[in-house]
Amino acid sequence: MSFIAAVLILNLDTEDAFIAFSNLLNKPCQMAFFRVDHGLMLTYFAAFEVFFEENLPKLFAHFKKNNLTPDIYLIDWIFTLYSKSLPLDLACRIWDVFCRDGEEFLFRTALGVLKLFEDILTKMDFIHMAQLLTRLPDHLPAEEFFACIATIQMQSRNKKWAQVLAALQKDSRETEKGSPPPRH
């Protein structure tokens, strides 16, 4: 939380920073991660993987082959809203769009990071991929990074992020109740 608080304090006066901090933490995605709601976190990871496979199929297959799961890199990115993993100026730009577009943009940004490093990542093994994604380079080319984010399509089989997430949440609830989930 300190990374989020630091960005807010750098940009707002104390009272406004506190209010913004409270509002940020009350968003469903952040609540799931900060409460460590494992089931809901898995649902977010599953939704992310739907769009990962759709947008970057070659890299997705490489990650699967190497057993690199989203929790290894996404948790830190989502927990800190990229303020720990990206340079401050880029993180603030991500925050601007996140505040406008919502949680979908956090996952779109993650796919943008993967797209930016796709050529490098496809040549790496598990350890090196995990190291790169948990410690991104300090200097990212901002325009190229945002161009990568812009190419990411957050629609899968005519369903948008929120629809895919809702369907996965429904499947998860039905599985918990003991009935088999429907196929999508």
Side-chain angles (χ1 to χ4, degrees):
M1 290 186 194
S2 61
F3 288 95
I4 295 172
V7 171
L8 291 170
I9 289 170
L10 283 172
N11 291 290
L12 302 168
D13 64 48
T14 309
E15 294 82 16
D16 289 338
F18 178 76
I19 292 167
F21 185 71
S22 298
N23 289 334
L24 279 173
L25 296 185
N26 278 315
K27 293 186 177 285
C29 181
Q30 278 61 47
M31 235 189 260
F33 280 79
F34 280 104
R35 287 185 176 170
V36 192
D37 182 338
H38 191 67
L40 190 50
M41 289 170 68
L42 290 176
T43 303
Y44 275 102
F45 295 147
F48 171 77
E49 286 195 307
V50 166
F51 294 96
F52 184 4
E53 184 174 21
E54 193 91 12
N55 283 279
L56 303 164
K58 182 179 164 189
L59 185 60
F60 178 80
H62 184 66
F63 275 39
K64 285 291 184 194
K65 181 180 147 203
N66 285 281
N67 296 313
L68 186 66
T69 55
D71 58 304
I72 292 171
Y73 51 93
L74 264 186
I75 288 175
D76 194 47
W77 295 353
I78 302 300
F79 258 135
T80 65
L81 301 174
Y82 295 94
S83 58
K84 178 180 174 187
S85 49
L86 293 177
L88 184 59
D89 61 325
L90 293 182
C92 288
R93 288 175 64 183
I94 297 299
W95 281 41
D96 286 344
V97 183
F98 163 63
C99 288
R100 185 191 69 195
D101 294 353
E103 68 186 30
E104 173 186 313
F105 191 72
L106 296 177
F107 295 92
R108 187 174 178 194
T109 299
L111 293 169
V113 170
L114 297 177
K115 184 170 182 64
L116 181 65
F117 294 109
E118 182 176 21
D119 292 339
I120 297 166
L121 289 166
T122 54
K123 295 177 179 108
M124 293 179 163
D125 61 8
F126 173 89
I127 296 292
H128 291 99
M129 288 188 295
Q131 285 175 342
L132 174 65
L133 295 174
T134 55
R135 180 73 176 111
L136 295 173
D138 291 333
H139 302 288
L140 293 178
E143 296 313 311
E144 186 180 350
F145 177 49
F146 281 94
C148 287
I149 294 171
T151 66
I152 300 300
Q153 298 297 311
M154 293 304 276
Q155 190 162 328
S156 175
R157 298 186 187 131
N158 292 324
K159 289 184 179 179
K160 294 184 178 189
W161 168 264
Q163 295 168 312
V164 169
L165 184 64
L168 289 166
Q169 286 174 319
K170 182 180 177 204
D171 291 352
S172 177
R173 284 190 299 271
E174 288 174 0
T175 302
E176 287 174 5
K177 292 178 182 174
S179 63
R183 302 290 258 151
H184 294 284

